[in-house]
C-alpha cells in the first residue's frame, strides 16, 4: 500500500479532460461499473472492459483508498433495441432454450464469474442484480414522477427528456445536442405511448406473454435498463459518488440517461468522474455478439478457434490487454498474442532472476528513477502500457546485473524486488502461470509408460512387460489389465 494519494489523474468523459482525482470523502472511493447482461457467455471484448476497471480498482487499492466497488448484473430490462423496443434479451434466450429466465441468468452469471477468476480480476464488493432491486427502482420512478420529469402512459412510465433539457443539458456526456438528437429520431411502431421519440422508458408495461414482470403502481411490468443502474448505484454508493465506469458504447444512451435520472431525482449530478473503456476490435471492427465476430475466452485458452494456431494462458491474454491504454482501441490478432506471450515470459523470467540476485556493495543502477516511473505511469490515468514499458526498462537492468554488466546493492535490491512484485502481481494483476502439478506430470508419464508396456505385450515381449509392471510395483504403483486396457493406482 502506498501513501501517494493526490497525484492520480483520471480522464473524465464529462469534462473531456484529465483531472486530479479528489474523492468526495477523503481516503474513500465509491466506484460503480455497469456489469454484464447475462444472456450469453461473455466474449473477450466484454472482458477487456471489466479488466480495464479491475486495473483501476487495483491501483486505487494500492494507493491506500478504501474502495467500495459495485458492479451489477443486468438480469432484466435490457431490450434488444436501444429505443425501448424488442424483446428482453434474457427472456428471448429463455424462450429459445425453453427454460426459466432465471436459469439463463444463473448459467451466464456463473460463466462470467469463472472467466473473471481465470483472468484474476478481483470480485467487486457488491454485485447487485436488477431483479433484486425492483422496490428501489419503483421508488426512484415515483420520485422522478413527483419531481415532474416522468409521466405514465398505458402502464409504462417515460422520462420526459425535453422537459429535463429545459433546465439541464441532455447529451453533455456524449457531446450530443438535443436538437440533433430530435432531428435524428423517428417515431417507431409501437412508440405511440411516448410523448416524444427521445423520451426513454423507466418502466415498461408487460404484455401477457412477457415472462419477467412485477406488480407496480402502474400495473404489471418491468424496469428500464438505464434505471436499474441509477437505483443500484444510489443505494450502495449514495446519490453522488466518485467513479462510474463502463464501455464507451454505454455513453449514449445508457449513461446519459443515468445522469438525467439522477439529476431529475435529486437535483444533483450523480457522478464526479465518468470513465469509459475503449473497445476490443477484430480486424478493426468492434467485437460483438451481434456482429458475429466475438471470441470466447474458453476458446482462446484452448486454442479451439479458426483464428488461433494454439491456446493462450489467461495471464498472457491479460498481459496482452495491458499493452494498450484503456481509452484506446485494442485490435486482437494471433500475432499480437504471440508477441505478448514472449514478453510475458521474458518478464516472468527476469522476476525469477531478480528474486535470487546476489547484491554487491554498490549500485550502478538507479532504482528510484525506475520506481518513480512505475508510479508516474499509473498516476497518468492508469497508463498500463507506460507501466509495462517501465517494467521492461527494469528487465534490461536486471539482465545486465545477471550478466555481470551492472551491480545492485542490498538495499536497492530489496526495494526493487518488492516494488516490481507489487506492480506486476498486485497492480497489473498478473500471476505466474502455475507449473503443471505433480499429479498431472505423473499421469502424463504413466500414460507413456503404459503405452510402451502395451506395445511390448502386443509384441509378446513378456520380459519387458513384466519388468515394467514389477518396477512400477516397487515404486508403489499397481497396474491392472482390464478389458479397456491397463490402468494404474
Ligand atoms: P453488455 O453485457 O452487452 O451489457 O456489455 C458488458 C460490457 O462490455 C459493457 O461495458 C460494454 O461496453 C462492454 N463491451 C461490449 N463489447 C465490447 C468490446 N468489443 N470491447 C470492449 N468492451 C466491450
Ligand atoms: Zn449500467
Amino acid at each position: 500500500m502506498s501513501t501517494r494519494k493526490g497525484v492520480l489523474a483520471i480522464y473524465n468523459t464529462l469534462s473531456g479532460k484529465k483531472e486530479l482525482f479528489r474523492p468526495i470523502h477523503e481516503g474513500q472511493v465509491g466506484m460503480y461499473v455497469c456489469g454484464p447482461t447475462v444472456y450469453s457467455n461473455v466474449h473477450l471484448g466484454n472482458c477487456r472492459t471489466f479488466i480495464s476497471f479491475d486495473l483501476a480498482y487495483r491501483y486505487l487499492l494500492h494507493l491506500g483508498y478504501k474502495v467500495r466497488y459495485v458492479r451489477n448484473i443486468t438480469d432484466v430490462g435490457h431490450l434488444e433495441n436501444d429505443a425501448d423496443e424488442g424483446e428482453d434479451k434474457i427472456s428471448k434466450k429463455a424462450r429459445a432454450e425453453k427454460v426459466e429466465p432465471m436459469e439463463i441468468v444463473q448459467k451466464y452469471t456463473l460463466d462470467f464469474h469463472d472467466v473473471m477468476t481465470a483472468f484474476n480480476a478481483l470480485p467487486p464488493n457488491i454485485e447487485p442484480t436488477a431483479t433484486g432491486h425492483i422496490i428501489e427502482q419503483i421508488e426512484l420512478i415515483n420520485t422522478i414522477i413527483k419531481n415532474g420529469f416522468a409521466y405514465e402512459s398505458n402502464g409504462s412510465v417515460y422520462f420526459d427528456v425535453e422537459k429535463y433539457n429545459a433546465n439541464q443539458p441532455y447529451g453533455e456526456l456524449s457531446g450530443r445536442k438535443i436538437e440533433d438528437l430530435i432531428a435524428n429520431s423517428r417515431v417507431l411502431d409501437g412508440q405511440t405511448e411516448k410523448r416524444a421519440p427521445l423520451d426513454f422508458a423507466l418502466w415498461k408495461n408487460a404484455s401477457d406473454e412477457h415472462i419477467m414482470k412485477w406488480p407496480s403502481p402502474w400495473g404489471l411490468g418491468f424496469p428500464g435498463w438505464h434505471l436499474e443502474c441509477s437505483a443500484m448505484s444510489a443505494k450502495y454508493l449514495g446519490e453522488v459518488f466518485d467513479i462510474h465506469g463502463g464501455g464507451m458504447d454505454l455513453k449514449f444512451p445508457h449513461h446519459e440517461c443515468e445522469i438525467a435520472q439522477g439529476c431529475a431525482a435529486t437535483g444533483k449530478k450523480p457522478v464526479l468522474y465518468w470513465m469509459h473503456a475503449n473497445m476490443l476490435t477484430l480486424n478493426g471492427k468492434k467485437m460483438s455478439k451481434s456482429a458475429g465476430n466475438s471470441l470466447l475466452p474458453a476458446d482462446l485458452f484452448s486454442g479451439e478457434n479458426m483464428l488461433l494456431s494454439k491456446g493462450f494462458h489467461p495471464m498472457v491474454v491479460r498481459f496482452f490487454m495491458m499493452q494498450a491504454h484503456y481509452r484506446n482501441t485494442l485490435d486482437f490478432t494471433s500475432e499480437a498474442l504471440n508477441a505478448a506471450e514472449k514478453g510475458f515470459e521474458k518478464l516472468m523470467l527476469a522476476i525469477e532472476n531478480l528474486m535470487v540476485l546476489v547484491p554487491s556493495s554498490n549500485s550502478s543502477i538507479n532504482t528510484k528513477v525506475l520506481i518513480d516511473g512505475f508510479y508516474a505511469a499509473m498516476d497518468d490515468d492508469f497508463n498500463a502500457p507506460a507501466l509495462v514499458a517501465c517494467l521492461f526498462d527494469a528487465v534490461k537492468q536486471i539482465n545486465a546485473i545477471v550478466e555481470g554488466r551492472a551491480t545492485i546493492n542490498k538495499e536497492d535490491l530489496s526495494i526493487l524486488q518488492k516494488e516490481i512484485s507489487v506492480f506486476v502481481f498486485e497492480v497489473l494483476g498478473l500471476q505466474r502461470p502455475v507449473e503443471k502439478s505433480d499429479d498431472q506430470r505423473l499421469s502424463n508419464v504413466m500414460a507413456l509408460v503404459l503405452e510402451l508396456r502395451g506395445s511390448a505385450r502386443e509384441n509378446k515381449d513378456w520380459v519387458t512387460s513384466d519388468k515394467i509392471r514389477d518396477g512400477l510395483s516397487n515404486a508403489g504403483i499397481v497396474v491392472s489389465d482390464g478389458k479397456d486396457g491397463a490402468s494404474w493406482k
Side-chain angles (χ1 to χ4, degrees), residues 416-436:
L416 194 61
Q417 286 172 334
K418 179 175 158 266
E419 294 292 338
I420 288 209
S421 301
V422 162
F423 274 88
V424 171
F425 301 119
E426 282 177 30
V427 175
L428 287 182
L430 297 170
Q431 285 172 320
R432 235 182 285 260
V434 184
E435 289 284 316
K436 279 202 176 124

Side-chain angles (χ1 to χ4, degrees), residues 358-365 401 406-413:
V358 180
S360 308
S361 50
N362 57 14
S363 282
S364 66
I365 65 168
I401 304 169
T407 56
I408 189 163
N409 70 23
K410 199 167 164 215
E411 194 191 342
D412 283 350
L413 177 59

Side-chain angles (χ1 to χ4, degrees), residues 32 34 72 225 229 244 254-255 258:
Y32 186 92
C34 293
N72 75 295
W225 173 40
C229 286
H244 192 316
H254 188 52
H255 292 160
E258 277 189 55

Side-chain angles (χ1 to χ4, degrees), residues 419-473:
E419 294 292 338
I420 288 209
S421 301
V422 162
F423 274 88
V424 171
F425 301 119
E426 282 177 30
V427 175
L428 287 182
L430 297 170
Q431 285 172 320
R432 235 182 285 260
V434 184
E435 289 284 316
K436 279 202 176 124
S437 72
D438 286 349
D439 275 0
Q440 203 178 347
R441 266 191 244 258
L442 181 61
S443 40
N444 291 348
V445 171
M446 282 307 298
L448 178 68
V449 172
L450 292 184
E451 192 188 315
L452 292 173
R453 182 171 169 270
S455 327
R457 283 164 66 91
E458 261 170 37
N459 298 334
K460 307 209 176 343
D461 178 359
W462 309 117
V463 178
T464 306
S465 134
D466 289 351
K467 189 173 176 187
I468 293 175
R469 193 196 51 216
D470 296 345
L472 288 173
S473 165

Side-chain angles (χ1 to χ4, degrees), residues 76 79 86-88 91 95 205-213 221-222:
V76 69
L79 304 186
E87 213 176 333
D88 180 297
S91 292
R95 196 187 303 278
N205 171 23
S207 55
D208 286 346
E209 333 68 86
H210 203 94
I211 325 176
M212 295 204 278
K213 52 192 166 194
F222 59 94

